[in-house]
Amino acid sequence: MLDIRFCRALQVMIRLAVAAEGESAVLSSTRFAEELGTNPSLVRKLLVPLAAGGLVVSTKGRGGGAKLARPAEEITLAEIYRCAVGDKPLWASPDCEHVCETTANATRYFADLTAEAEQAVLASLGDRTLADSVREFRSIDAEPGGKASAE
């Protein structure tokens, strides 16, 4: 099963970045849930590690919600990824019975390969900011077939 936490967390962060540009910078989990087509408890679960990582600030109660803790230009996608996924590797290394050269070395090989792939992912995401993502979303939206052109 594919992990969607990063994609959902990035959607939440992009929405918060857009909100910070104009309308109320604080958005409730109920509003997020409506916009993402999910339930508020999932949104709150996504917000917890983002808040713990210092990317969002959440307030409880009536009129509460979440907002960016820093400007979108200062938040990298690598930070969002780390908060959303934590220390979970891209894929699990097999734990095999050591009956031949392949099975004897599989665990270490896949652990090394996973670490290398993870570093490449983080390097790519580290070069992009949340503000870059907002600009890319808007560019996609303006293309033929994007939401803006369909309206």
Side-chain angles (χ1 to χ4, degrees):
M1 187 165 133
L2 294 174
D3 191 329
I4 63 165
R5 288 177 295 177
F6 172 63
C7 295
R8 286 296 200 180
L10 182 55
Q11 285 179 305
V12 166
M13 293 295 289
I14 289 170
R15 183 64 183 93
L16 285 174
V18 170
E21 293 176 345
E23 64 184 80
S24 172
V26 178
L27 297 176
S28 71
S29 58
T30 301
R31 182 158 176 197
F32 274 125
E34 290 169 0
E35 292 178 3
L36 295 174
T38 189
N39 62 58
S41 65
L42 173 64
V43 173
R44 286 189 291 273
K45 287 178 185 177
L46 288 169
L47 289 170
V48 168
L50 294 170
L55 302 183
V56 300
V57 175
S58 294
T59 53
K60 294 181 182 179
R62 180 170 251 221
K67 67 179 183 176
L68 293 181
R70 305 191 316 253
E73 296 82 14
E74 297 176 12
I75 298 172
T76 68
L77 299 192
E79 290 177 287
I80 298 168
Y81 176 83
R82 269 288 157 232
C83 288
V85 177
D87 292 331
K88 183 179 176 185
L90 289 173
W91 56 78
S93 298
D95 189 18
C96 306
E97 184 178 337
H98 301 228
V99 294
C100 67
E101 177 183 21
T102 301
T103 57
N105 297 308
T107 300
R108 178 169 172 200
Y109 174 79
F110 284 108
D112 292 347
L113 184 62
T114 300
E116 183 181 328
E118 180 97 358
Q119 287 305 311
V121 167
L122 290 172
S124 176
L125 296 176
D127 291 338
R128 298 172 102 159
T129 68
L130 182 56
D132 295 332
S133 294
V134 170
R135 284 188 289 276
E136 289 178 48
F137 265 63
R138 288 184 173 142
S139 175
I140 292 167
D141 196 45
E143 291 176 0
K147 183 190 83 160
S149 65
E151 294 176 350

